[in-house]
Amino acid sequence: MLPQHVTLVEVGPRDGLQNEAQTVSTADKVELVHRLQQAGLQQIEVTSFVSPKWVPQMGDNAQVMAGIQRQASVRYSVLTPNMKGFEGALAAKADEVVIFAAASEAFSQRNINCSIAESIERFRPVVQAAHAHGLKVRSAVSCALGCPYQGEVSLDQVDEVVQRLLDIGADHIGIADTIGVGTAGRVQTVMELALKRVPIAALSGHFHDTYGQALTNIHACLQLGIHTFDSSIAGLGGCPYAKGATGNVATEDVVYLLHGLGIHTGLDLDLLVDAGAFISNVLGRKPVSRVSNALLAKRSAPTQAAQTAA
Ligand code: HMG
Ligand code: MG
């Protein structure tokens, strides 16, 4: 039985833009968030409160948060690697913070300059402070399907990080294929493992599409009843510390799949295509979404009637 409703967490403004070399203006980031909420997205990861020396593109985090005209129903989340990031998130009135630990030691060192164990100790006060202020905490387990430095990642390594994140009080666990190498069978195995510890409503998938497997991997998760996924408008994304990894699965593509399966999302595909076209235009390229490009081509094609009249 597939789920009847799926929630998409839009990570385009954060995961999508963090990897862009060209500076995207604050106004364009704010416009993107406005278009995403207009399309019906109820959870938007807006920016990161990480070091601007490490990820310069996210340096305008506070300005972006301040520029958004908020909708009451939308949850605006931000990435926080430590207490300094949390203080920024709190001042910016984020609704939710996202902590991110890795299942691979090598990736943890490259991404956040500390061991997995040290990262957990940095996240512990973040979770406590977030809860004390009534904020939810999502977490990501990076490299759960493979690591750009270590290669294979064992089930035990994933399981241990999931347990550690639960121990410090994370409300939600996202299993992340940071470099998009996972295939459906392995994804199901990892998710089945996580489901032993995490209630299904608190588990999600975050799939980069480097090897073109992301949609299939989402379908594999749907078959297990998992009903929350991260996705990124126009297929933007990547991690500056995971070289060669391409974008997240495109929101437009996931919505097309879900609607085709008769699964409710509450999202307007046409408005998503508009949002994807907007940010792709800002970046000077076509959306990395097959669905978006197909629908844009259909829109610009002359209609049968117009052709006949000519
Ligand atoms: P560090 O250099 O070890 O930090 O970096 P530090 O504590 O030694 O501080 C060094 C300097 O950074 C100090 O400033 C701090 O104040 C400042 P200075 O005295 O030199 O002027 N600093 C900060 N500034 C702003 N905000 C902060 C902050 N913290 C310290 N929060 C640190 C450690 C974690 C800060 C750094 O490694 C970092 O920012 N890394 C971020 C990496 C990142 O954003 N990666 C991409 C996101 S993760 C991802 O994409 C994966 C995900 O999508 C899931 C998946 O696909 O796997 C989530
Ligand atoms: Mg990611």
Side-chain angles (χ1 to χ4, degrees):
M1 278 284 282
L2 299 179
Q4 293 180 342
H5 179 91
V6 161
T7 300
L8 293 187
V9 179
E10 172 60 45
V11 297
R14 195 279 303 168
D15 196 324
L17 296 181
Q18 73 181 9
N19 208 33
E20 290 299 330
Q22 58 177 299
T23 307
V24 177
S25 74
T26 304
D28 283 337
K29 290 173 183 168
V30 169
E31 168 79 14
L32 176 62
V33 173
H34 287 164
R35 285 173 175 265
L36 293 168
Q37 62 191 15
Q38 213 182 339
L41 285 151
Q42 299 289 292
Q43 293 195 45
I44 304 177
E45 210 167 281
V46 176
T47 184
S48 303
F49 283 83
V50 297
S51 162
K53 286 186 196 143
W54 284 64
V55 188
Q57 185 71 259
M58 299 284 108
D60 60 352
N61 41 29
Q63 293 89 326
V64 174
M65 288 295 282
I68 299 167
Q69 287 183 2
R70 298 196 186 194
Q71 289 182 356
S73 61
V74 178
R75 198 190 295 174
Y76 303 91
S77 59
V78 301
L79 221 62
T80 49
N82 51 23
M83 277 307 286
K84 187 172 170 83
F86 176 75
E87 281 150 22
L90 193 63
K93 298 192 166 48
D95 298 314
E96 183 177 60
V97 294
V98 184
I99 55 176
F100 47 111
S104 136
E105 269 311 333
F107 186 74
S108 185
Q109 291 289 353
R110 305 274 181 125
N111 195 36
I112 48 176
N113 205 24
C114 64
S115 69
I116 299 170
E118 283 165 339
S119 76
I120 296 291
E121 289 317 309
R122 285 182 193 174
F123 296 138
R124 191 187 298 276
V126 172
V127 178
Q128 283 168 354
H131 286 166
H133 287 89
L135 305 189
K136 290 256 179 232
V137 181
R138 271 195 299 124
S139 68
V141 179
S142 293
C143 297
L145 276 303
C147 168
Y149 308 106
Q150 171 187 315
E152 280 186 21
V153 172
S154 74
L155 292 177
D156 284 348
Q157 285 176 294
V158 177
D159 194 40
E160 195 179 334
V161 177
V162 168
Q163 184 56 56
R164 285 181 178 191
L165 288 167
L166 291 173
D167 285 346
I168 61 167
D171 302 302
H172 184 99
I173 303 284
I175 297 293
D177 187 1
T178 313
I179 53 170
V181 288
T183 48
R186 179 70 175 183
V187 165
Q188 283 192 333
T189 304
V190 171
M191 287 299 190
E192 277 164 349
L193 181 82
L195 280 168
K196 290 193 177 143
R197 299 197 186 275
V198 189
I200 202 157
L203 184 68
S204 62
H206 173 109
F207 298 109
H208 286 258
D209 199 30
T210 319
Y211 284 76
Q213 303 298 303
L215 277 183
T216 315
N217 291 340
I218 287 179
H219 192 251
C221 292
L222 292 171
Q223 288 171 334
L224 299 179
I226 293 165
H227 51 82
T228 311
F229 301 95
D230 292 355
S231 64
S232 179
I233 197 72
L236 299 174
C239 174
Y241 301 101
K243 290 283 169 256
T246 62
N248 287 85
V249 66
T251 306
E252 302 92 312
D253 294 2
V254 184
V255 170
Y256 185 81
L257 168 71
L258 295 172
H259 290 182
L261 289 168
I263 297 174
H264 181 254
T265 63
L267 298 171
D268 182 324
L269 182 54
D270 275 329
L271 290 180
L272 288 172
V273 169
D274 291 344
F278 162 76
I279 193 63
S280 300
N281 193 36
V282 166
L283 296 169
R285 57 170 188 255
K286 281 170 66 171
V288 186
S289 155
R290 303 284 281 265
V291 167
S292 186
N293 286 317
L295 291 176
L296 288 167
K298 204 168 159 186
R299 280 184 194 173
S300 64
T303 62
Q304 192 76 40
Q307 275 177 328
T308 311

